[in-house]
PDB file of all heavy atoms in Angstrom:
ATOM      1  N   ALA A 186     -23.624 -25.379   7.833  1.00 96.00           N
ATOM      2  CA  ALA A 186     -22.860 -24.490   8.641  1.00 96.00           C
ATOM      3  C   ALA A 186     -21.862 -25.234   9.573  1.00 96.00           C
ATOM      4  O   ALA A 186     -20.740 -24.818   9.757  1.00 96.00           O
ATOM      5  CB  ALA A 186     -23.818 -23.614   9.495  1.00 96.00           C
ATOM      6  N   LEU A 187     -22.364 -26.371  10.117  1.00 96.00           N
ATOM      7  CA  LEU A 187     -21.482 -27.112  11.026  1.00 96.00           C
ATOM      8  C   LEU A 187     -20.270 -27.714  10.269  1.00 96.00           C
ATOM      9  O   LEU A 187     -19.175 -27.710  10.813  1.00 96.00           O
ATOM     10  CB  LEU A 187     -22.266 -28.267  11.664  1.00 96.00           C
ATOM     11  CG  LEU A 187     -23.373 -27.799  12.647  1.00 96.00           C
ATOM     12  CD1 LEU A 187     -24.137 -29.037  13.217  1.00 96.00           C
ATOM     13  CD2 LEU A 187     -22.753 -27.021  13.826  1.00 96.00           C
ATOM     14  N   MET A 188     -20.472 -28.114   9.039  1.00 96.00           N
ATOM     15  CA  MET A 188     -19.364 -28.608   8.221  1.00 96.00           C
ATOM     16  C   MET A 188     -18.330 -27.434   7.945  1.00 96.00           C
ATOM     17  O   MET A 188     -17.154 -27.713   7.882  1.00 96.00           O
ATOM     18  CB  MET A 188     -19.885 -29.176   6.927  1.00 96.00           C
ATOM     19  CG  MET A 188     -20.609 -30.495   7.112  1.00 96.00           C
ATOM     20  SD  MET A 188     -19.550 -31.793   7.811  1.00 96.00           S
ATOM     21  CE  MET A 188     -18.344 -31.969   6.489  1.00 96.00           C
ATOM     22  N   ARG A 189     -18.875 -26.277   7.811  1.00 96.00           N
ATOM     23  CA  ARG A 189     -17.990 -25.137   7.557  1.00 96.00           C
ATOM     24  C   ARG A 189     -17.099 -24.798   8.778  1.00 96.00           C
ATOM     25  O   ARG A 189     -16.017 -24.291   8.641  1.00 96.00           O
ATOM     26  CB  ARG A 189     -18.835 -23.919   7.136  1.00 96.00           C
ATOM     27  CG  ARG A 189     -18.017 -22.749   6.589  1.00 96.00           C
ATOM     28  CD  ARG A 189     -18.924 -21.681   6.022  1.00 96.00           C
ATOM     29  NE  ARG A 189     -18.204 -20.508   5.561  1.00 96.00           N
ATOM     30  CZ  ARG A 189     -17.626 -20.390   4.376  1.00 96.00           C
ATOM     31  NH1 ARG A 189     -17.662 -21.394   3.519  1.00 96.00           N
ATOM     32  NH2 ARG A 189     -16.967 -19.260   4.023  1.00 96.00           N
ATOM     33  N   THR A 190     -17.660 -25.037   9.964  1.00 96.00           N
ATOM     34  CA  THR A 190     -16.854 -24.762  11.180  1.00 96.00           C
ATOM     35  C   THR A 190     -15.637 -25.666  11.280  1.00 96.00           C
ATOM     36  O   THR A 190     -14.664 -25.296  11.981  1.00 96.00           O
ATOM     37  CB  THR A 190     -17.730 -24.893  12.420  1.00 96.00           C
ATOM     38  OG1 THR A 190     -18.220 -26.268  12.522  1.00 96.00           O
ATOM     39  CG2 THR A 190     -18.905 -23.980  12.429  1.00 96.00           C
ATOM     40  N   LEU A 191     -15.690 -26.821  10.647  1.00 93.00           N
ATOM     41  CA  LEU A 191     -14.541 -27.762  10.734  1.00 93.00           C
ATOM     42  C   LEU A 191     -13.383 -27.333   9.833  1.00 93.00           C
ATOM     43  O   LEU A 191     -12.324 -27.916   9.916  1.00 93.00           O
ATOM     44  CB  LEU A 191     -15.028 -29.161  10.303  1.00 93.00           C
ATOM     45  CG  LEU A 191     -16.016 -29.842  11.248  1.00 93.00           C
ATOM     46  CD1 LEU A 191     -16.471 -31.159  10.651  1.00 93.00           C
ATOM     47  CD2 LEU A 191     -15.373 -30.084  12.626  1.00 93.00           C
ATOM     48  N   GLN A 192     -13.596 -26.325   9.001  1.00 93.00           N
ATOM     49  CA  GLN A 192     -12.535 -25.854   8.127  1.00 93.00           C
ATOM     50  C   GLN A 192     -11.903 -24.596   8.742  1.00 93.00           C
ATOM     51  O   GLN A 192     -12.556 -23.765   9.302  1.00 93.00           O
ATOM     52  CB  GLN A 192     -13.142 -25.497   6.732  1.00 93.00           C
ATOM     53  CG  GLN A 192     -13.832 -26.645   6.089  1.00 93.00           C
ATOM     54  CD  GLN A 192     -14.625 -26.202   4.851  1.00 93.00           C
ATOM     55  OE1 GLN A 192     -14.757 -25.024   4.537  1.00 93.00           O
ATOM     56  NE2 GLN A 192     -15.112 -27.171   4.100  1.00 93.00           N
ATOM     57  N   MET A 193     -10.574 -24.464   8.549  1.00 93.00           N
ATOM     58  CA  MET A 193      -9.936 -23.286   8.998  1.00 93.00           C
ATOM     59  C   MET A 193     -10.388 -22.092   8.165  1.00 93.00           C
ATOM     60  O   MET A 193     -10.700 -22.251   6.932  1.00 93.00           O
ATOM     61  CB  MET A 193      -8.383 -23.481   8.857  1.00 93.00           C
ATOM     62  CG  MET A 193      -7.869 -24.585   9.684  1.00 93.00           C
ATOM     63  SD  MET A 193      -6.078 -24.819   9.544  1.00 93.00           S
ATOM     64  CE  MET A 193      -5.497 -23.326  10.339  1.00 93.00           C
ATOM     65  N   ARG A 194     -10.462 -20.949   8.730  1.00 93.00           N
ATOM     66  CA  ARG A 194     -11.096 -19.804   8.105  1.00 93.00           C
ATOM     67  C   ARG A 194     -10.472 -19.477   6.732  1.00 93.00           C
ATOM     68  O   ARG A 194     -11.211 -19.228   5.775  1.00 93.00           O
ATOM     69  CB  ARG A 194     -10.965 -18.561   9.046  1.00 93.00           C
ATOM     70  CG  ARG A 194     -11.680 -17.324   8.452  1.00 93.00           C
ATOM     71  CD  ARG A 194     -11.514 -16.144   9.404  1.00 93.00           C
ATOM     72  NE  ARG A 194     -11.969 -14.944   8.754  1.00 93.00           N
ATOM     73  CZ  ARG A 194     -13.262 -14.509   8.846  1.00 93.00           C
ATOM     74  NH1 ARG A 194     -14.196 -15.237   9.439  1.00 93.00           N
ATOM     75  NH2 ARG A 194     -13.620 -13.413   8.232  1.00 93.00           N
ATOM     76  N   ARG A 195      -9.164 -19.476   6.616  1.00 91.00           N
ATOM     77  CA  ARG A 195      -8.515 -19.104   5.366  1.00 91.00           C
ATOM     78  C   ARG A 195      -8.642 -20.198   4.287  1.00 91.00           C
ATOM     79  O   ARG A 195      -8.321 -19.909   3.129  1.00 91.00           O
ATOM     80  CB  ARG A 195      -7.057 -18.770   5.591  1.00 91.00           C
ATOM     81  CG  ARG A 195      -6.202 -19.941   6.081  1.00 91.00           C
ATOM     82  CD  ARG A 195      -4.743 -19.539   6.146  1.00 91.00           C
ATOM     83  NE  ARG A 195      -3.888 -20.576   6.666  1.00 91.00           N
ATOM     84  CZ  ARG A 195      -3.608 -20.794   7.904  1.00 91.00           C
ATOM     85  NH1 ARG A 195      -4.219 -20.009   8.860  1.00 91.00           N
ATOM     86  NH2 ARG A 195      -2.870 -21.781   8.285  1.00 91.00           N
ATOM     87  N   LEU A 196      -9.097 -21.375   4.679  1.00 92.00           N
ATOM     88  CA  LEU A 196      -9.265 -22.462   3.682  1.00 92.00           C
ATOM     89  C   LEU A 196     -10.729 -22.662   3.288  1.00 92.00           C
ATOM     90  O   LEU A 196     -10.991 -23.556   2.513  1.00 92.00           O
ATOM     91  CB  LEU A 196      -8.715 -23.770   4.275  1.00 92.00           C
ATOM     92  CG  LEU A 196      -7.213 -23.740   4.621  1.00 92.00           C
ATOM     93  CD1 LEU A 196      -6.833 -25.149   5.205  1.00 92.00           C
ATOM     94  CD2 LEU A 196      -6.332 -23.399   3.448  1.00 92.00           C
ATOM     95  N   ARG A 197     -11.638 -21.869   3.853  1.00 93.00           N
ATOM     96  CA  ARG A 197     -13.020 -22.066   3.558  1.00 93.00           C
ATOM     97  C   ARG A 197     -13.396 -21.587   2.165  1.00 93.00           C
ATOM     98  O   ARG A 197     -12.873 -20.618   1.658  1.00 93.00           O
ATOM     99  CB  ARG A 197     -13.862 -21.315   4.587  1.00 93.00           C
ATOM    100  CG  ARG A 197     -13.827 -21.885   5.986  1.00 93.00           C
ATOM    101  CD  ARG A 197     -14.503 -20.968   6.974  1.00 93.00           C
ATOM    102  NE  ARG A 197     -14.358 -21.489   8.337  1.00 93.00           N
ATOM    103  CZ  ARG A 197     -14.724 -20.801   9.430  1.00 93.00           C
ATOM    104  NH1 ARG A 197     -15.213 -19.579   9.317  1.00 93.00           N
ATOM    105  NH2 ARG A 197     -14.546 -21.372  10.611  1.00 93.00           N
ATOM    106  N   LEU A 198     -14.311 -22.371   1.540  1.00 92.00           N
ATOM    107  CA  LEU A 198     -14.851 -22.027   0.216  1.00 92.00           C
ATOM    108  C   LEU A 198     -16.336 -22.147   0.253  1.00 92.00           C
ATOM    109  O   LEU A 198     -16.837 -23.170   0.752  1.00 92.00           O
ATOM    110  CB  LEU A 198     -14.241 -22.911  -0.878  1.00 92.00           C
ATOM    111  CG  LEU A 198     -12.766 -22.752  -1.178  1.00 92.00           C
ATOM    112  CD1 LEU A 198     -12.300 -23.808  -2.179  1.00 92.00           C
ATOM    113  CD2 LEU A 198     -12.455 -21.358  -1.737  1.00 92.00           C
ATOM    114  N   PRO A 199     -17.062 -21.162  -0.232  1.00 93.00           N
ATOM    115  CA  PRO A 199     -16.641 -19.815  -0.696  1.00 93.00           C
ATOM    116  C   PRO A 199     -15.888 -19.033   0.399  1.00 93.00           C
ATOM    117  O   PRO A 199     -16.121 -19.216   1.545  1.00 93.00           O
ATOM    118  CB  PRO A 199     -17.939 -19.146  -1.098  1.00 93.00           C
ATOM    119  CG  PRO A 199     -18.925 -20.249  -1.260  1.00 93.00           C
ATOM    120  CD  PRO A 199     -18.534 -21.310  -0.282  1.00 93.00           C
ATOM    121  N   LYS A 200     -15.056 -18.126  -0.049  1.00 93.00           N
ATOM    122  CA  LYS A 200     -14.247 -17.326   0.870  1.00 93.00           C
ATOM    123  C   LYS A 200     -15.162 -16.486   1.798  1.00 93.00           C
ATOM    124  O   LYS A 200     -16.226 -16.042   1.405  1.00 93.00           O
ATOM    125  CB  LYS A 200     -13.357 -16.359   0.098  1.00 93.00           C
ATOM    126  CG  LYS A 200     -12.266 -17.085  -0.710  1.00 93.00           C
ATOM    127  CD  LYS A 200     -11.230 -17.690   0.197  1.00 93.00           C
ATOM    128  CE  LYS A 200     -10.095 -18.253  -0.617  1.00 93.00           C
ATOM    129  NZ  LYS A 200      -9.046 -18.909   0.226  1.00 93.00           N
ATOM    130  N   PRO A 201     -14.754 -16.343   3.064  1.00 94.00           N
ATOM    131  CA  PRO A 201     -15.542 -15.509   4.003  1.00 94.00           C
ATOM    132  C   PRO A 201     -15.775 -14.109   3.472  1.00 94.00           C
ATOM    133  O   PRO A 201     -14.789 -13.497   2.980  1.00 94.00           O
ATOM    134  CB  PRO A 201     -14.710 -15.531   5.281  1.00 94.00           C
ATOM    135  CG  PRO A 201     -13.913 -16.764   5.189  1.00 94.00           C
ATOM    136  CD  PRO A 201     -13.576 -16.963   3.731  1.00 94.00           C
ATOM    137  N   GLN A 202     -16.954 -13.593   3.625  1.00 92.00           N
ATOM    138  CA  GLN A 202     -17.292 -12.248   3.143  1.00 92.00           C
ATOM    139  C   GLN A 202     -17.523 -11.264   4.328  1.00 92.00           C
ATOM    140  O   GLN A 202     -17.789 -10.105   4.085  1.00 92.00           O
ATOM    141  CB  GLN A 202     -18.541 -12.307   2.280  1.00 92.00           C
ATOM    142  CG  GLN A 202     -18.424 -13.244   1.080  1.00 92.00           C
ATOM    143  CD  GLN A 202     -17.407 -12.754   0.091  1.00 92.00           C
ATOM    144  OE1 GLN A 202     -17.328 -11.595  -0.248  1.00 92.00           O
ATOM    145  NE2 GLN A 202     -16.580 -13.684  -0.386  1.00 92.00           N
TER     146      GLN A 202
END
Side-chain angles (χ1 to χ4, degrees):
L187 293 177
M188 290 298 297
R189 190 171 177 86
T190 62
L191 294 173
Q192 303 169 352
M193 299 180 69
R194 182 181 173 86
R195 64 174 177 273
L196 300 179
R197 292 172 183 170
L198 293 174
K200 293 291 186 181
Q202 302 296 314

